[in-house]
Amino acid sequence: MTQLLYAAWDLGLFQLLSKAPLTLAEICERLALPRHSTDMLLNTCVALGLLKKEDGSYANTPLSENYLVAENTFYLGGLLEHFRRHVFPAWDSFKEAIQQDRPQIVGDAGKSDIFEATRRPDVDTELFIAAMHNLSVSDGLILAEGFDFSPFTRLLDIGGGSGALSLAVAERHPRIQAVVFDRPQVCSIAERYIQAAGLGSRVSTRPGDAFSDALPERADVVVLSLFIHAFGLKRSTPILEKCLCALPPGGCVLIYEPMLYPGRTGPLTTLLSSLNMLLVTPSGGDVTAQDYMQWLEKLGFESVFYKALPSIRHLVGGFKPKA
């Protein structure tokens, strides 16, 4: 099914049918495809829910229209290309990943991880940020609706990538000024997303390394999303210690990550996501909400809370003591 999806997407089928329903003959003519194989492809797409067929004409379903047509907000093209270029080849070495407990991304110097593969300001970095943007647009909207940001005015988005979360929160909460803190080559990409959203006066970037640099000052709420998921609890501990120091009394840290059930045997999507981190990062993976809550309490945060959200990501947060 994966190859079928990629073939239909690469051929421009969903982009073509976004304009208007077309018959088999019209599709073959416009895409320069033979009738026999195209007929099989189209009807299988119908069976998979990617297309609908009425009176001999084919059209996109809401699923393909929303996620596979480039002009639409929730388009997943960057994610699809990132998976094809980096993630699927790593899954070919899944057994080795288990045996070696190390990532299997194929880089210029052999096996590497996704951060090494995207360290330079090149097409791989652009593709990785586009993929993370695709993943974060809808989850940004969910976060903006699911947490009360009204007591806060200055958001710091650590490892914020394209700025998708910051943009969603700023759009929903007019008092928020947001800063995306990420590597310099990522910030230059994020600037384009910010300008395209028309929020350049309220969302900005700050180049830096969260592990080695001081955090930007003045934030009263800090978000880490798909960050601890990528680096793991142990490696992320110094970042949370920096957050505790940098926040004002009463300031809040939000961990917005995929989270496992207490018994660690579900949800399946999160377990697979965690295995994906094994394949592409040195120390990433997912833990339970209880793990995050205990971690924040141990670091010195108070009023620690958990909130389930309608997403693969859920929310754990805590506040810096006021006295």
Side-chain angles (χ1 to χ4, degrees), residues 230-292:
F231 292 104
L233 285 178
K234 182 177 180 180
R235 193 174 176 200
S236 300
T237 294
I239 310 299
L240 267 293
E241 292 172 340
K242 288 183 183 182
C243 291
L244 186 62
C245 290
L247 283 167
C252 182
V253 66
L254 298 174
I255 296 171
Y256 188 37
E257 301 279 9
M259 297 182 191
L260 296 170
Y261 295 151
R264 299 177 185 272
T265 57
L268 177 59
T269 305
T270 304
L271 289 166
L272 292 172
S273 173
S274 197
L275 284 173
N276 201 61
M277 288 299 98
L278 170 67
L279 287 161
V280 302
T281 69
S283 55
D286 296 308
V287 298
T288 69
Q290 289 82 356
D291 290 329
Y292 282 127

Side-chain angles (χ1 to χ4, degrees), residues 156 158 181 209-216 222 236-248 253 299 301 320:
L156 176 61
I158 296 180
F181 185 54
D209 185 323
F211 293 101
S212 59
D213 296 334
L215 299 181
V222 177
S236 300
T237 294
I239 310 299
L240 267 293
E241 292 172 340
K242 288 183 183 182
C243 291
L244 186 62
C245 290
L247 283 167
V253 66
L299 289 170
F301 290 91
K320 182 172 179 174

Side-chain angles (χ1 to χ4, degrees), residues 152-220:
F152 307 103
T153 59
R154 300 180 302 276
L155 168 69
L156 176 61
D157 188 357
I158 296 180
S162 70
L165 293 187
S166 290
L167 291 168
V169 173
E171 181 72 28
R172 176 68 177 79
H173 300 274
R175 294 179 67 237
I176 286 285
Q177 295 280 333
V179 174
V180 177
F181 185 54
D182 213 316
R183 295 175 294 168
Q185 64 269 36
V186 175
C187 284
S188 65
I189 298 170
E191 288 287 352
R192 300 201 298 270
Y193 284 96
I194 293 167
Q195 295 307 315
L199 287 169
S201 64
R202 295 183 44 230
V203 181
S204 60
T205 63
R206 180 75 64 85
D209 185 323
F211 293 101
S212 59
D213 296 334
L215 299 181
E217 298 177 355
R218 295 178 54 79
D220 54 7

Side-chain angles (χ1 to χ4, degrees), residues 249 302 320-323:
E302 65 179 19
K320 182 172 179 174
K322 292 184 178 180

Side-chain angles (χ1 to χ4, degrees), residues 137-151:
V137 169
S138 59
D139 280 345
L141 297 174
I142 290 169
L143 176 64
E145 293 289 338
F147 180 74
D148 181 12
F149 284 91
S150 62

